[in-house]
Amino acid sequence: MATAFPAQRTMSDRGAPSQLDAGFQASQELQSRFISDNLRRVFLLIYRIVDNVADAQDLTQEALIKALQHQDQLKDPEKAAHWLSRIATNTAIDFLRRNGKVNFCEIDGLIEPLREPSATPEEQVLHNEHRGYLEEGLAGLTERERTALVLRDVEGLSAEEVAKQLNCSKATVRSHIANARIKFRRYMERKARA
Amino acid sequence: MRSSRLLALVAAGAASIYAAILPKIDLPKDSPVAVIGADYGDSTETARGGAVVVDLHASLSLRNSSGRHIRGITLLVRSQEVTPGSKGSVTLTSLDVAPGEAFPVRMDIRLLRPVTSLGGPLELGLDGVLFDDLSFYGPDSLQSRHTLTVYEIEARRDRRYYKALLAEGGPARLRQEVLASLSRQVDRPDMEVQMTRASRATNLEPERPVQFALLHLPDSPVEPTEGMAKIAGNEARTPRLEVHNKSDRAVRYLEIGWLVKDGRGRQFMAGTVPATLNLPPGEKAQVLKETLKFPQLGGGPLSIDSMTAFVSNVEFSDGKMWVPSRADLGDPRLQSVLAPSPEEQRLVQLYRKKGLTALVDELKKF
Amino acid sequence: MKHPPQDQLALFAGGEAGWFESWSVRRHLVACPICRKRAADFSQDRQTVRNLSVELPPEVEWNRLADEMAGNIRVGLAAGEAIAAFDRPSDDRTSGVAGARTSWLRWNAGWAIAAASAVFAAAFWLNLPNPQAEHLLTALRAIRVDRAGKLVQPAAPAADEVVVEASGSSIQVRENGGSLALLHPRSDGLTISVNMQGSAGARYIDSDTGQVTINRVYYAQQ
């Protein structure tokens, strides 16, 4: 969605208060609208990558602050949504690199994470129902796989663009995507049998 | 006093569960507020080990049945069976409730009593209501007249201050100040607090005499002149603090604020001490009588390194009050540790939630 | 008939397979209903992921979260602007009243920087269970303040002889084995105050009603 960016007004631009109040308020309103128009989309994108609500909240705030502070870097306002998505995914990926110490250029095997041995089948079913099945499906992926899948299948980036975003080779990205889809398919088949 | 028992909005079959939980609400016949609705929907009573836990979640709807605007209200909360000598209160301030208007009061109360105790009802009463002309109604058993009036005077001071900033520097100036307030709020070293009856000082901590540092606020009608105490652990024993009434009016009540620096170098606002007195103009008086027990902060024992006293508010014999001006509050020793007024906190939060335009619109209402 | 490996089918379904791989898989699918079904499943899964990705996690109360995030973004931007004003080179400043105003702005922006950086040193961040404080801190961090204090780890709370206790979630008084607590679960901006002659209060803004609420407990002095 293309949304007009609020005009950036700085302290030194301010003249007599009565003349600029209307302009300042208009810019504040545009800013608020930009935030409200994009907040949910950015939050969901980041959340799907980092898989944690609290981290997603912090990173969403960070991404929108960055975008609004650097809006002069956006040359074509029609591409604002795409540009904002790039900032959001970069913010999430940087976070995973720093905090999860994830190296996006390593390739995982197809072994899935172990389930907790104490969960009975009934408990697992109940847990699944509560959690929502996309959550469950994506939770079975590694950070690399999940990030690549979200960028490709949700954001619609080409494999080349995903590789650029993750700073990896296209071959590595294709491995991540393939593994992610295979694991997700296995998960869907288990759900169908349950 | 007429008492009224309000029915919870629950199915008849569940009513018995709530019989022990429903509070008894006592309002006088001439009360300026009336309870027009109450919802205790999520309230529960649970046995837990050797205790019974009552969780009361009350959403009351009160109506202003007086002919004046209400600015603040204090409700008293008591459970004689559970905590015989102790009580609680819920105060709402920075209100603007017009005559006939309804407003919500939310309370979440937890009572824990041993299973052996009979248990009794929770009582809710009215301690006081403050109106926009600063008149007061209520028994005032909790000093709520003084407290609500101080809050209202501070609110008027802070709104005037923000409106002046808006007039001279526009919305950007106002926003700058609000942001600075927010930074101070998040920076203030406010920690979890415990207060005990028993002494925390041990035989290993000898008493040592400490002279109080005194903070003079230029506009204050009363100033501290000298003071000292014997410090042991978190207690200031045999404290002496002399104050001087610089004004031309008699003073009947004041509150002393205490800034404390502990052994770890942390500086914080430890609390206030009230003093009721009859101090004629120009005279001096001693205002402390009892040992001052300072709260423990952050869960650890407190060891007092130094103490600073200042006069945080004054009530004259004619009922008028003095609170520090914004200029007084700019003192760096206070600014970093003193909490903002309730109104400042409300306005800053309004900015945070709804933006500058909403804040400017709110200020225009007054 | 030799079936193509799973990863080839998965990539084919998303259009990432190379030219030769795609041609090879396409040829196989004409004759193999099993692989055709598998490829269709992979394709359907892509759509499923897209459809479900717009759903919020079940534990999220979106309106509240959105309000909080918008508020924190607003604060972060305003703080960033204050710092930008501080950093602006001196030839931008004019003389006279405007100059006086900008030098005042400079002082306050400097204050905002110092206050924001000192946030890191405030021990109460660790004590406050309210996660809102942490998210606000993160918004302030986004402006990259480079001075940081040291976080102080609080000592374990004393459990004996406590009569009044105030924390991020409640304020309570205990007596004779019972206790009365006033909770503040939906609170913003919690402030604790103490009257050293027998009471403690917790002041906050109720996040649903916007009202300033002060819960206070009083204990009987011995």
Side-chain angles (χ1 to χ4, degrees):
Chain A
M1 174 195 313
T3 310
F5 265 100
Q8 186 81 311
R9 302 198 74 92
T10 60
M11 295 296 181
S12 63
D13 293 342
R14 313 241 186 273
S18 57
Q19 290 168 341
L20 288 171
D21 279 358
F24 183 79
Q25 285 190 18
S27 127
Q28 293 294 294
E29 277 161 21
L30 272 176
Q31 189 184 91
S32 295
R33 206 163 74 223
F34 177 78
I35 294 170
S36 62
D37 285 349
N38 291 285
L39 193 62
R40 183 180 166 122
R41 184 175 66 79
V42 170
F43 173 80
L44 280 170
L45 171 57
I46 292 177
Y47 172 71
R48 294 297 168 214
I49 295 174
V50 304
D51 196 34
N52 176 282
V53 171
D55 290 337
Q57 178 179 351
D58 289 344
L59 296 169
T60 300
Q61 288 164 188
E62 197 178 316
L64 280 160
I65 288 171
K66 272 189 220 171
L68 285 162
Q69 284 183 330
H70 296 106
Q71 56 184 283
D72 50 324
Q73 292 174 8
L74 176 66
K75 302 299 172 205
D76 181 358
E78 291 297 310
K79 296 194 173 146
H82 179 83
W83 179 77
L84 179 56
S85 295
R86 294 296 69 70
I87 292 177
T89 51
N90 283 338
T91 305
I93 289 165
D94 286 345
F95 171 78
L96 287 179
R97 281 198 177 111
R98 282 193 318 267
N99 289 55
K101 299 187 177 27
V102 176
N103 180 348
F104 286 95
C105 301
E106 284 176 11
I107 297 175
D108 305 289
L110 267 175
I111 299 165
E112 294 184 45
L114 292 174
R115 296 200 186 282
E116 289 170 5
S118 56
T120 63
E122 290 78 14
E123 282 165 357
Q124 284 180 28
V125 167
L126 285 171
H127 177 70
N128 291 352
E129 281 171 359
H130 283 299
R131 202 167 169 193
Y133 70 92
L134 179 63
E135 318 285 315
E136 190 72 9
L138 293 182
L141 308 180
T142 65
E143 288 101 342
R144 291 182 268 261
E145 290 161 357
R146 190 170 60 240
T147 305
L149 188 74
V150 166
L151 292 179
R152 176 74 187 108
D153 287 349
V154 177
E155 284 296 292
L157 298 190
S158 66
E160 288 85 356
E161 286 170 323
V162 175
K164 212 167 143 187
Q165 192 94 53
L166 298 183
N167 205 23
C168 298
S169 68
K170 193 176 158 191
T172 304
V173 162
R174 287 174 59 206
S175 280
H176 293 333
I177 291 170
N179 286 353
R181 287 188 186 143
I182 291 168
K183 286 183 184 173
F184 191 78
R185 174 79 319 248
R186 286 182 188 164
Y187 162 75
M188 294 295 281
E189 282 164 2
R190 277 197 302 272
K191 267 206 76 68
R193 283 195 296 269
Chain B
M1 277 205 186
R2 177 172 56 87
S3 70
S4 58
R5 186 171 286 274
L6 294 168
L7 295 175
L9 301 174
V10 292
S16 59
I17 296 169
Y18 294 92
I21 300 173
L22 290 184
K24 186 171 149 219
I25 303 183
D26 269 326
L27 295 182
K29 275 187 196 160
D30 61 345
S31 165
V33 296
V35 183
I36 57 170
D39 183 350
Y40 305 103
D42 293 332
S43 303
T44 56
E45 188 178 34
T46 322
R48 228 181 259 172
V52 174
V53 178
V54 172
D55 271 330
L56 179 79
H57 301 288
S59 292
L60 304 180
S61 188
L62 305 186
R63 185 173 56 223
N64 178 3
S65 47
S66 76
R68 291 165 287 175
H69 284 244
I70 289 176
R71 295 287 191 225
I73 183 169
T74 297
L75 296 172
L76 173 64
V77 178
R78 192 163 33 201
S79 173
Q80 294 288 19
E81 297 291 333
V82 176
T83 49
S86 305
K87 47 191 177 266
S89 67
V90 177
T91 296
L92 301 184
T93 185
S94 286
L95 295 175
D96 184 21
V97 184
E101 198 182 321
F103 61 102
V105 179
R106 288 243 292 242
M107 291 193 233
D108 296 273
I109 301 168
R110 174 170 292 159
L111 286 175
L112 187 147
R113 59 175 174 82
V115 288
T116 49
S117 134
L118 287 174
L122 192 67
E123 295 163 15
L124 300 182
L126 183 64
D127 194 61
V129 175
L130 185 80
F131 300 99
D132 57 350
D133 60 0
L134 300 186
S135 60
F136 180 85
Y137 169 95
D140 197 24
S141 62
L142 302 175
Q143 293 279 10
S144 45
R145 185 191 67 81
H146 178 89
T147 308
L148 290 174
T149 308
V150 165
Y151 288 153
E152 177 60 18
I153 294 173
E154 288 176 340
R156 293 178 186 186
R157 172 197 69 194
D158 291 340
R159 285 195 294 264
R160 266 196 312 270
Y161 174 66
Y162 282 134
K163 287 169 77 168
L165 290 180
L166 184 63
E168 84 189 29
R173 177 69 189 91
L174 175 64
R175 187 182 66 167
Q176 191 105 29
E177 182 60 28
V178 166
L179 188 62
S181 173
L182 190 58
S183 290
R184 288 194 296 272
Q185 286 180 51
V186 299
D187 183 34
R188 199 169 38 83
D190 202 17
M191 292 177 273
E192 297 182 352
V193 162
Q194 292 101 26
M195 290 164 67
T196 64
R197 276 203 190 95
S199 169
R200 297 290 305 177
T202 68
N203 291 335
L204 296 174
E205 297 178 61
E207 287 182 353
R208 55 189 174 87
V210 168
Q211 203 84 17
F212 299 154
L214 305 173
L215 179 53
H216 299 282
L217 301 179
D219 297 333
S220 175
V222 177
E223 67 175 6
T225 53
E226 61 165 351
M228 64 98 64
K230 292 183 185 155
I231 306 294
N234 73 323
E235 288 182 353
R237 297 173 182 165
T238 58
R240 283 193 306 104
L241 180 68
E242 184 185 79
V243 298
H244 172 223
N245 182 358
K246 299 185 320 186
S247 76
D248 58 2
R249 289 179 281 173
V251 167
R252 69 178 178 205
Y253 180 91
L254 54 83
E255 286 185 355
I256 306 288
W258 291 101
L259 306 179
V260 163
K261 193 188 261 190
D262 71 2
R264 294 192 236 177
R266 298 180 296 184
Q267 177 125 20
F268 49 87
M269 175 74 177
T272 56
V273 174
T276 302
L277 66 168
N278 182 9
L279 187 59
E283 298 289 313
K284 292 183 181 178
Q286 294 286 339
V287 293
L288 299 178
K289 296 182 183 60
E290 300 166 4
T291 294
L292 297 177
K293 287 198 191 97
F294 288 87
Q296 293 182 129
L297 296 162
L302 175 67
S303 144
I304 301 168
D305 196 54
S306 65
M307 294 161 51
T308 302
F310 67 98
V311 175
S312 76
N313 62 73
V314 171
E315 184 174 335
F316 298 99
S317 297
D318 60 5
K320 297 252 181 352
M321 299 207 196
W322 170 88
V323 299
S325 64
R326 290 296 305 206
D328 287 335
L329 294 177
D331 188 305
R333 285 168 291 179
L334 288 182
Q335 208 174 46
S336 59
V337 294
L338 215 57
S341 70
E343 181 67 354
E344 181 175 335
Q345 193 177 358
R346 184 184 76 89
L347 292 173
V348 167
Q349 198 63 16
L350 179 66
Y351 163 76
R352 225 187 115 221
K353 292 261 166 143
K354 301 211 173 130
L356 195 59
T357 307
L359 174 59
V360 171
D361 289 344
E362 180 70 11
L363 288 172
K364 284 178 183 160
K365 288 182 194 169
F366 295 91
Chain C
M1 184 192 304
K2 194 176 170 209
H3 302 287
Q6 292 249 39
D7 57 336
Q8 258 189 32
L9 280 176
L11 291 174
F12 173 80
E16 296 98 12
W19 181 88
F20 183 75
E21 272 178 342
S22 293
W23 176 81
S24 173
V25 167
R26 210 174 289 116
R27 269 190 66 196
H28 176 84
L29 292 188
V30 166
C32 176
I34 296 169
C35 288
R36 217 164 36 242
K37 165 88 175 45
R38 187 128 271 254
D41 285 341
F42 278 128
S43 205
Q44 178 59 45
D45 287 346
R46 293 186 72 216
Q47 190 58 48
T48 302
V49 166
R50 261 196 297 276
N51 292 345
L52 294 178
S53 67
V54 297
E55 286 179 10
L56 288 163
E59 68 269 31
V60 164
E61 247 185 82
W62 177 247
N63 288 337
R64 250 184 94 121
L65 181 62
D67 269 352
E68 199 182 306
M69 285 196 281
N72 291 340
I73 290 165
R74 188 175 296 120
V75 166
L77 285 168
E81 213 180 301
I83 287 171
F86 177 74
D87 284 343
R88 198 161 297 117
S90 55
D91 55 0
D92 280 356
R93 298 195 185 105
T94 59
S95 59
V97 171
R101 190 183 305 142
T102 48
S103 49
W104 176 87
L105 285 172
R106 183 181 184 181
W107 178 83
N108 271 283
W111 199 98
I113 296 170
S117 67
V119 159
F120 295 94
F124 88 105
W125 285 107
L126 294 178
N127 284 334
L128 265 183
N130 185 347
Q132 288 181 10
E134 294 181 24
H135 296 306
L136 180 55
L137 170 62
T138 306
L140 289 171
R141 272 186 182 144
I143 59 174
R144 288 200 300 277
V145 177
D146 61 359
R147 266 201 291 144
K150 198 171 64 165
L151 290 168
V152 176
Q153 197 69 27
D160 60 316
E161 299 173 283
V162 171
V163 175
V164 166
E165 191 164 32
S167 72
S169 59
S170 71
I171 188 159
Q172 67 170 321
V173 58
R174 298 185 206 152
E175 188 177 9
N176 294 335
S179 73
L180 165 67
L182 296 167
L183 313 175
H184 31 265
R186 296 166 302 273
S187 57
D188 291 325
L190 190 70
T191 304
I192 307 285
S193 63
V194 169
N195 178 316
M196 291 190 288
Q197 285 185 352
S199 72
R203 189 215 303 167
Y204 60 94
I205 311 285
D206 187 302
S207 53
D208 292 335
T209 64
Q211 288 167 330
V212 183
T213 307
I214 301 134
N215 291 339
R216 197 149 200 99
V217 291
Y218 306 79
Y219 68 87
Q221 296 272 16
Q222 279 180 329

